[in-house]
Amino acid sequence: MTKHHAISSLLQSTTMPPLRSFLLLFTLITLSIVPAHSQQRNYNHDGGLWGEVKRCADTIATPVEKVAHERYDKLSDRGKFVAGAAFGFGASRFAVCSTVNTVKTVGAAYIAFEALEYAGILKEARSTKEGDAIMAKTRDYLLRTADGIRCDIRTNLNPNAVKERIDRNMKRDKHGTTGFGTGAFLGFVL
């Protein structure tokens, strides 16, 4: 039996096409972590753009999560492993690419703002009261956005929280979680 034949027989044994399984699992996991931070503190860290994105995702998450759970639970053990592996691979590639693009964007923004400062455009904008108000609002908005992202990263990537999440998911769905770990490892390595 060749590798290609073994993989295609594994993919055909699932009750749902592999791409749909991947998209289903991706949606399920992505949307299930969105509101996790808000239950831990009374202070709301969801200001700025990050808060708006999370509120929008939360309105979509509830109906999609229900359908995703129903379909994922119908998969065979192999199907759950394959869906987990596909999602883990895709999620790790997404994480790597988005991190690289974020660093590039921040670097480009820094250079652009330094050029604006050197040209005197930012100094001119700060010289009026109206300009000061706009700059203060922009700064506050960006700080609220950064604070929301920082808080969510701290909450969701805390090593203890990650270990608890892995343990809980291993008890609930060993095949999908093992597949996710395998796919994520391959995504980071390749």
Side-chain angles (χ1 to χ4, degrees):
M1 181 184 289
T2 66
K3 272 187 185 179
H4 178 70
H5 181 67
I7 291 172
S8 28
S9 68
L10 177 68
L11 293 177
Q12 289 172 354
S13 69
T14 61
T15 59
M16 178 184 308
L19 181 59
R20 288 181 63 199
S21 300
F22 167 72
L23 292 175
L24 175 70
L25 187 62
F26 177 76
T27 303
L28 175 67
I29 293 174
T30 303
L31 297 177
S32 67
I33 65 169
V34 170
H37 65 91
S38 61
Q39 300 164 357
Q40 294 185 356
R41 293 185 182 90
N42 292 332
Y43 182 74
N44 186 2
H45 291 277
D46 291 339
L49 179 62
W50 187 245
E52 293 300 319
V53 169
K54 286 172 57 174
R55 277 188 284 284
C56 180
D58 196 31
T59 60
I60 298 168
T62 306
V64 172
E65 190 174 346
K66 182 180 177 188
V67 172
H69 274 295
E70 290 172 1
R71 288 201 169 172
Y72 180 76
D73 290 340
K74 291 179 184 176
L75 291 175
S76 66
D77 289 343
R78 282 190 206 173
K80 289 179 180 182
F81 180 84
V82 170
F87 177 70
F89 183 82
S92 64
R93 298 306 307 157
F94 176 77
V96 168
C97 291
S98 62
T99 301
V100 168
N101 287 334
T102 300
V103 170
K104 287 180 181 179
T105 303
V106 168
Y110 177 76
I111 291 170
F113 280 110
E114 284 296 316
L116 290 173
E117 180 68 31
Y118 184 74
I121 295 171
L122 291 180
K123 193 178 290 183
E124 183 181 313
R126 286 191 300 259
S127 65
T128 65
K129 289 185 179 185
E130 185 178 300
D132 280 344
I134 291 172
M135 294 294 274
K137 286 180 183 178
T138 303
R139 183 195 68 228
D140 291 344
Y141 187 77
L142 291 174
L143 288 175
R144 285 193 309 269
T145 299
D147 182 52
I149 293 170
R150 178 197 59 81
C151 186
D152 281 352
I153 288 173
R154 179 178 279 179
T155 301
N156 291 316
L157 295 182
N158 178 342
N160 293 331
V162 171
K163 183 181 181 327
E164 289 173 13
R165 195 170 24 241
I166 290 171
D167 291 343
R168 184 177 61 245
N169 287 329
M170 282 298 278
K171 289 178 186 173
R172 187 181 56 133
D173 181 19
K174 187 174 187 175
H175 298 289
T177 306
T178 305
F180 179 82
T182 304
F185 174 76
L186 291 174
F188 285 125
V189 171
L190 299 179

PDB file of all heavy atoms in Angstrom, residues 76-96:
ATOM      1  N   SER A  76     -16.017   9.951  12.755  1.00  0.00           N
ATOM      2  CA  SER A  76     -15.371   8.770  13.344  1.00  0.00           C
ATOM      3  C   SER A  76     -14.096   9.226  14.047  1.00  0.00           C
ATOM      4  O   SER A  76     -13.678  10.380  13.932  1.00  0.00           O
ATOM      5  CB  SER A  76     -15.032   7.771  12.232  1.00  0.00           C
ATOM      6  OG  SER A  76     -14.031   8.322  11.375  1.00  0.00           O
ATOM      7  N   ASP A  77     -13.445   8.302  14.767  1.00  0.00           N
ATOM      8  CA  ASP A  77     -12.200   8.649  15.449  1.00  0.00           C
ATOM      9  C   ASP A  77     -11.124   9.076  14.457  1.00  0.00           C
ATOM     10  O   ASP A  77     -10.385  10.026  14.703  1.00  0.00           O
ATOM     11  CB  ASP A  77     -11.708   7.472  16.291  1.00  0.00           C
ATOM     12  CG  ASP A  77     -12.581   7.232  17.516  1.00  0.00           C
ATOM     13  OD1 ASP A  77     -13.353   8.146  17.880  1.00  0.00           O
ATOM     14  OD2 ASP A  77     -12.494   6.136  18.095  1.00  0.00           O
ATOM     15  N   ARG A  78     -11.037   8.389  13.335  1.00  0.00           N
ATOM     16  CA  ARG A  78     -10.072   8.779  12.302  1.00  0.00           C
ATOM     17  C   ARG A  78     -10.403  10.157  11.747  1.00  0.00           C
ATOM     18  O   ARG A  78      -9.528  10.965  11.492  1.00  0.00           O
ATOM     19  CB  ARG A  78     -10.079   7.777  11.150  1.00  0.00           C
ATOM     20  CG  ARG A  78      -9.344   6.526  11.424  1.00  0.00           C
ATOM     21  CD  ARG A  78      -9.237   5.752  10.138  1.00  0.00           C
ATOM     22  NE  ARG A  78      -9.115   4.343  10.410  1.00  0.00           N
ATOM     23  CZ  ARG A  78      -9.136   3.418   9.488  1.00  0.00           C
ATOM     24  NH1 ARG A  78      -9.326   3.751   8.240  1.00  0.00           N
ATOM     25  NH2 ARG A  78      -9.005   2.163   9.817  1.00  0.00           N
ATOM     26  N   GLY A  79     -11.684  10.392  11.537  1.00  0.00           N
ATOM     27  CA  GLY A  79     -12.113  11.683  11.027  1.00  0.00           C
ATOM     28  C   GLY A  79     -11.777  12.805  11.988  1.00  0.00           C
ATOM     29  O   GLY A  79     -11.353  13.886  11.575  1.00  0.00           O
ATOM     30  N   LYS A  80     -11.946  12.536  13.285  1.00  0.00           N
ATOM     31  CA  LYS A  80     -11.596  13.550  14.281  1.00  0.00           C
ATOM     32  C   LYS A  80     -10.097  13.801  14.295  1.00  0.00           C
ATOM     33  O   LYS A  80      -9.656  14.942  14.429  1.00  0.00           O
ATOM     34  CB  LYS A  80     -12.086  13.124  15.666  1.00  0.00           C
ATOM     35  CG  LYS A  80     -13.600  13.190  15.799  1.00  0.00           C
ATOM     36  CD  LYS A  80     -14.044  12.739  17.160  1.00  0.00           C
ATOM     37  CE  LYS A  80     -15.567  12.807  17.256  1.00  0.00           C
ATOM     38  NZ  LYS A  80     -16.069  12.423  18.559  1.00  0.00           N
ATOM     39  N   PHE A  81      -9.299  12.739  14.153  1.00  0.00           N
ATOM     40  CA  PHE A  81      -7.850  12.907  14.107  1.00  0.00           C
ATOM     41  C   PHE A  81      -7.448  13.728  12.889  1.00  0.00           C
ATOM     42  O   PHE A  81      -6.655  14.666  12.991  1.00  0.00           O
ATOM     43  CB  PHE A  81      -7.144  11.548  14.091  1.00  0.00           C
ATOM     44  CG  PHE A  81      -5.651  11.663  14.048  1.00  0.00           C
ATOM     45  CD1 PHE A  81      -4.926  11.854  15.212  1.00  0.00           C
ATOM     46  CD2 PHE A  81      -4.963  11.602  12.844  1.00  0.00           C
ATOM     47  CE1 PHE A  81      -3.539  11.978  15.180  1.00  0.00           C
ATOM     48  CE2 PHE A  81      -3.585  11.730  12.794  1.00  0.00           C
ATOM     49  CZ  PHE A  81      -2.877  11.914  13.972  1.00  0.00           C
ATOM     50  N   VAL A  82      -7.999  13.386  11.718  1.00  0.00           N
ATOM     51  CA  VAL A  82      -7.666  14.092  10.481  1.00  0.00           C
ATOM     52  C   VAL A  82      -8.121  15.556  10.566  1.00  0.00           C
ATOM     53  O   VAL A  82      -7.388  16.470  10.191  1.00  0.00           O
ATOM     54  CB  VAL A  82      -8.288  13.390   9.251  1.00  0.00           C
ATOM     55  CG1 VAL A  82      -8.156  14.242   8.006  1.00  0.00           C
ATOM     56  CG2 VAL A  82      -7.631  12.038   9.036  1.00  0.00           C
ATOM     57  N   ALA A  83      -9.329  15.775  11.076  1.00  0.00           N
ATOM     58  CA  ALA A  83      -9.820  17.151  11.221  1.00  0.00           C
ATOM     59  C   ALA A  83      -8.938  17.931  12.196  1.00  0.00           C
ATOM     60  O   ALA A  83      -8.593  19.086  11.945  1.00  0.00           O
ATOM     61  CB  ALA A  83     -11.264  17.141  11.697  1.00  0.00           C
ATOM     62  N   GLY A  84      -8.554  17.301  13.294  1.00  0.00           N
ATOM     63  CA  GLY A  84      -7.674  17.954  14.258  1.00  0.00           C
ATOM     64  C   GLY A  84      -6.310  18.257  13.662  1.00  0.00           C
ATOM     65  O   GLY A  84      -5.756  19.330  13.883  1.00  0.00           O
ATOM     66  N   ALA A  85      -5.767  17.305  12.907  1.00  0.00           N
ATOM     67  CA  ALA A  85      -4.456  17.508  12.282  1.00  0.00           C
ATOM     68  C   ALA A  85      -4.518  18.635  11.250  1.00  0.00           C
ATOM     69  O   ALA A  85      -3.627  19.490  11.195  1.00  0.00           O
ATOM     70  CB  ALA A  85      -3.962  16.217  11.639  1.00  0.00           C
ATOM     71  N   ALA A  86      -5.563  18.636  10.446  1.00  0.00           N
ATOM     72  CA  ALA A  86      -5.707  19.692   9.442  1.00  0.00           C
ATOM     73  C   ALA A  86      -5.855  21.053  10.117  1.00  0.00           C
ATOM     74  O   ALA A  86      -5.240  22.033   9.700  1.00  0.00           O
ATOM     75  CB  ALA A  86      -6.910  19.404   8.551  1.00  0.00           C
ATOM     76  N   PHE A  87      -6.647  21.104  11.164  1.00  0.00           N
ATOM     77  CA  PHE A  87      -6.835  22.371  11.862  1.00  0.00           C
ATOM     78  C   PHE A  87      -5.549  22.805  12.563  1.00  0.00           C
ATOM     79  O   PHE A  87      -5.183  23.979  12.527  1.00  0.00           O
ATOM     80  CB  PHE A  87      -7.972  22.280  12.873  1.00  0.00           C
ATOM     81  CG  PHE A  87      -8.143  23.543  13.649  1.00  0.00           C
ATOM     82  CD1 PHE A  87      -8.624  24.681  13.030  1.00  0.00           C
ATOM     83  CD2 PHE A  87      -7.774  23.620  14.970  1.00  0.00           C
ATOM     84  CE1 PHE A  87      -8.754  25.861  13.722  1.00  0.00           C
ATOM     85  CE2 PHE A  87      -7.899  24.792  15.673  1.00  0.00           C
ATOM     86  CZ  PHE A  87      -8.391  25.924  15.047  1.00  0.00           C
ATOM     87  N   GLY A  88      -4.861  21.873  13.197  1.00  0.00           N
ATOM     88  CA  GLY A  88      -3.605  22.197  13.869  1.00  0.00           C
ATOM     89  C   GLY A  88      -2.565  22.729  12.899  1.00  0.00           C
ATOM     90  O   GLY A  88      -1.873  23.711  13.179  1.00  0.00           O
ATOM     91  N   PHE A  89      -2.466  22.089  11.738  1.00  0.00           N
ATOM     92  CA  PHE A  89      -1.527  22.544  10.718  1.00  0.00           C
ATOM     93  C   PHE A  89      -1.900  23.945  10.241  1.00  0.00           C
ATOM     94  O   PHE A  89      -1.064  24.854  10.196  1.00  0.00           O
ATOM     95  CB  PHE A  89      -1.505  21.568   9.531  1.00  0.00           C
ATOM     96  CG  PHE A  89      -0.518  21.927   8.479  1.00  0.00           C
ATOM     97  CD1 PHE A  89       0.815  21.577   8.622  1.00  0.00           C
ATOM     98  CD2 PHE A  89      -0.908  22.620   7.343  1.00  0.00           C
ATOM     99  CE1 PHE A  89       1.747  21.918   7.653  1.00  0.00           C
ATOM    100  CE2 PHE A  89       0.010  22.964   6.373  1.00  0.00           C
ATOM    101  CZ  PHE A  89       1.343  22.618   6.519  1.00  0.00           C
ATOM    102  N   GLY A  90      -3.170  24.125   9.908  1.00  0.00           N
ATOM    103  CA  GLY A  90      -3.622  25.433   9.427  1.00  0.00           C
ATOM    104  C   GLY A  90      -3.475  26.525  10.473  1.00  0.00           C
ATOM    105  O   GLY A  90      -3.063  27.641  10.170  1.00  0.00           O
ATOM    106  N   ALA A  91      -3.808  26.197  11.716  1.00  0.00           N
ATOM    107  CA  ALA A  91      -3.713  27.192  12.790  1.00  0.00           C
ATOM    108  C   ALA A  91      -2.262  27.587  13.049  1.00  0.00           C
ATOM    109  O   ALA A  91      -1.969  28.769  13.272  1.00  0.00           O
ATOM    110  CB  ALA A  91      -4.348  26.647  14.063  1.00  0.00           C
ATOM    111  N   SER A  92      -1.353  26.626  13.002  1.00  0.00           N
ATOM    112  CA  SER A  92       0.055  26.962  13.239  1.00  0.00           C
ATOM    113  C   SER A  92       0.615  27.796  12.093  1.00  0.00           C
ATOM    114  O   SER A  92       1.372  28.740  12.327  1.00  0.00           O
ATOM    115  CB  SER A  92       0.888  25.704  13.450  1.00  0.00           C
ATOM    116  OG  SER A  92       0.899  24.915  12.279  1.00  0.00           O
ATOM    117  N   ARG A  93       0.233  27.479  10.865  1.00  0.00           N
ATOM    118  CA  ARG A  93       0.686  28.276   9.727  1.00  0.00           C
ATOM    119  C   ARG A  93       0.111  29.689   9.809  1.00  0.00           C
ATOM    120  O   ARG A  93       0.780  30.676   9.521  1.00  0.00           O
ATOM    121  CB  ARG A  93       0.297  27.630   8.390  1.00  0.00           C
ATOM    122  CG  ARG A  93       0.910  26.262   8.147  1.00  0.00           C
ATOM    123  CD  ARG A  93       2.409  26.202   8.281  1.00  0.00           C
ATOM    124  NE  ARG A  93       3.079  27.192   7.465  1.00  0.00           N
ATOM    125  CZ  ARG A  93       4.303  27.655   7.694  1.00  0.00           C
ATOM    126  NH1 ARG A  93       5.002  27.200   8.703  1.00  0.00           N
ATOM    127  NH2 ARG A  93       4.833  28.542   6.919  1.00  0.00           N
ATOM    128  N   PHE A  94      -1.156  29.776  10.195  1.00  0.00           N
ATOM    129  CA  PHE A  94      -1.793  31.083  10.360  1.00  0.00           C
ATOM    130  C   PHE A  94      -1.078  31.889  11.442  1.00  0.00           C
ATOM    131  O   PHE A  94      -0.829  33.083  11.278  1.00  0.00           O
ATOM    132  CB  PHE A  94      -3.277  30.910  10.705  1.00  0.00           C
ATOM    133  CG  PHE A  94      -3.982  32.200  10.977  1.00  0.00           C
ATOM    134  CD1 PHE A  94      -4.353  33.038   9.943  1.00  0.00           C
ATOM    135  CD2 PHE A  94      -4.265  32.579  12.276  1.00  0.00           C
ATOM    136  CE1 PHE A  94      -4.992  34.239  10.190  1.00  0.00           C
ATOM    137  CE2 PHE A  94      -4.904  33.772  12.542  1.00  0.00           C
ATOM    138  CZ  PHE A  94      -5.274  34.605  11.496  1.00  0.00           C
ATOM    139  N   ALA A  95      -0.743  31.235  12.543  1.00  0.00           N
ATOM    140  CA  ALA A  95      -0.064  31.933  13.645  1.00  0.00           C
ATOM    141  C   ALA A  95       1.296  32.453  13.195  1.00  0.00           C
ATOM    142  O   ALA A  95       1.660  33.601  13.497  1.00  0.00           O
ATOM    143  CB  ALA A  95       0.086  30.998  14.845  1.00  0.00           C
ATOM    144  N   VAL A  96       2.044  31.626  12.479  1.00  0.00           N
ATOM    145  CA  VAL A  96       3.370  32.048  12.016  1.00  0.00           C
ATOM    146  C   VAL A  96       3.246  33.202  11.024  1.00  0.00           C
ATOM    147  O   VAL A  96       3.920  34.230  11.162  1.00  0.00           O
ATOM    148  CB  VAL A  96       4.133  30.860  11.394  1.00  0.00           C
ATOM    149  CG1 VAL A  96       5.377  31.326  10.656  1.00  0.00           C
ATOM    150  CG2 VAL A  96       4.499  29.842  12.461  1.00  0.00           C
TER     151      VAL A  96
END
